[in-house]
Amino acid sequence: MSRPYPLIRAALVVLTTCGLLLGCDQQSSSSGTATPTAEQRYAHKLSDKNATPATLALYNSLAGLRGQHMLFGHEDSLAYGVNWEGDLDRSDVRDVTGANPAVYGWELGGLELGHEKNLDGVNFKQMQEWIKAGYNRGGVVTISWHMYSPVSGANSWDKTPTVHELIPGGAKHEQFKSYLDTFVVFNEGLATTDAAGNKKYIPIIFRPWHEHNGDWFWWGKGYVSEQDYISLWQFTVRYLRDEKGVHNLIYAYSPDRSRIDLAKFESDYFYAYPGDEYVDVIGLDNYWDVGHQANTASADEQKAGFVASLKGIVRIAQRLNKIAALTETGNNRLTIPNFWTERILNPILAGEEAQQITYLMVWRNANSAREKSEQFFAPYPGQATAEDFKTFFAHPFVLFESELPPLYQ
Ligand code: BMA
């Protein structure tokens, strides 16, 4: 397994403790040893040059684990499960394995309208508590946003062209800013103040405007020009970072695999890419290669496609000195026997490249009684893949929350 970066990072730490050698102006500790700044310590830079030390540390910690470990994540894991709702400290993932996921996905859709609950019925105040609890246990937080259209008022699956009105010069630009402001307030609500009066923000892998190469969201291909999508993304980053001073975000870009031709992976992947200065995580949403109902390819062909798509993002990430992640994946209702080992773990471990992804996250386990539909991507006790999921959990390559090293220092 190749692991170049931990060595580089260790070397940097050694080098940068020698203030005289580098002529840097870091502070000296009381023992006289120079303390490197976060910028000096880390090999991987974020698009936000003023990112908080904890945010930069998280990014570099994930980079440092590459090739050795991959974090497992689950959307809405603590909020509800297939057969339960209302427990404040429970997860289908933990019911099966005894451990929480390492990465917690949360979703903001509806926050922009002042709703108390998101579009899937998760109370935002409670979501903040779950975010804090997961972070305090050492977990990783990632947030997506199925934003309602400020033009039509309908949800994110509405096809009314909207983006052109949101970007600077657009008729709904001010309203869009007020939508983004709701996240600024939400983010403030996650912060704590230390004894010295300094605010501490929770690092968040922020994943806006996802699957934009698909045609199912109003920010998707067909309802927005490539340039306007890029403007939307860039404005989102500049507004949060530069105008609102939000410095705890790691920006994840996540096109959908189903709209990428593997024969021209890079050109398809970079459709409407906002630019290296606006993206930190080279992500991919890939349901297509792991048993999507519309994919008629054989299991072997799908596995090959899965690996090829992961290699594609890993190569891009390596070239750009960023990290790669499988930002969404999963087999809805888990109908494939031994899904976790045969369709996820073994293909990832088969070569050196795919195993450089830093995390993967499966989507939510909808509560069957409330939503009256079967939709789940992680097993629950008794589910057909539960035993196989335990094997996946037990593999040293895969990290759940209880197995995480410190990621924020
Ligand atoms: C989708 C489905 C929907 C849900 C949405 C936002 O993929 O899970 O049921 O409303 O994500 O979480």
Side-chain angles (χ1 to χ4, degrees), residues 227-403:
Q227 189 48 53
D228 280 358
Y229 177 84
I230 292 170
S231 300
L232 175 75
W233 184 291
Q234 292 187 351
F235 178 78
T236 303
V237 174
R238 284 201 304 265
Y239 184 72
L240 294 172
R241 184 189 63 194
D242 306 337
E243 272 193 55
K244 293 290 157 177
V246 176
H247 296 301
N248 58 311
L249 302 184
I250 294 171
Y251 290 91
Y253 169 78
S254 55
D256 194 86
R257 154 69 178 108
S258 68
R259 302 303 162 90
I260 291 176
D261 177 352
L262 293 174
K264 50 186 180 71
F265 186 87
E266 293 230 353
S267 61
D268 283 1
Y269 183 84
F270 283 119
Y271 166 75
Y273 177 67
D276 298 343
E277 301 301 308
Y278 294 87
V279 168
D280 302 307
V281 176
I282 298 298
L284 185 70
D285 285 11
N286 189 350
Y287 295 93
W288 185 250
D289 293 315
V290 289
H292 191 283
Q293 58 186 20
N295 189 351
T296 55
S298 70
D300 281 345
E301 285 168 330
Q302 291 190 30
K303 282 187 229 176
F306 183 59
V307 171
S309 72
L310 296 181
K311 279 185 182 174
I313 56 171
V314 162
R315 284 178 188 173
I316 292 167
Q318 281 175 340
R319 196 169 71 229
L320 299 177
N321 203 26
K322 300 183 189 293
I323 62 172
L326 186 50
T327 38
E328 277 186 46
T329 189
N331 174 232
N332 195 8
R333 295 185 292 280
L334 288 165
T335 55
I336 299 178
N338 297 327
F339 173 77
W340 301 98
T341 50
E342 286 184 21
R343 300 299 292 266
I344 299 282
L345 186 59
N346 294 344
I348 289 174
L349 289 176
E352 289 223 339
E353 274 178 306
Q355 60 188 260
Q356 304 290 319
I357 61 165
T358 51
Y359 67 91
L360 69 76
M361 188 179 80
V362 299
W363 204 241
R364 66 197 191 96
N365 280 15
N367 179 258
S368 62
R370 176 168 53 87
E371 302 207 24
K372 296 188 177 45
S373 73
E374 263 212 314
Q375 181 193 168
F376 59 88
F377 296 87
Y380 51 87
Q383 200 277 330
T385 68
E387 287 307 311
D388 186 57
F389 189 61
K390 288 187 204 170
T391 306
F392 173 80
F393 162 67
H395 196 286
F397 181 71
V398 183
L399 296 186
F400 283 51
E401 184 184 73
S402 57
E403 305 165 306

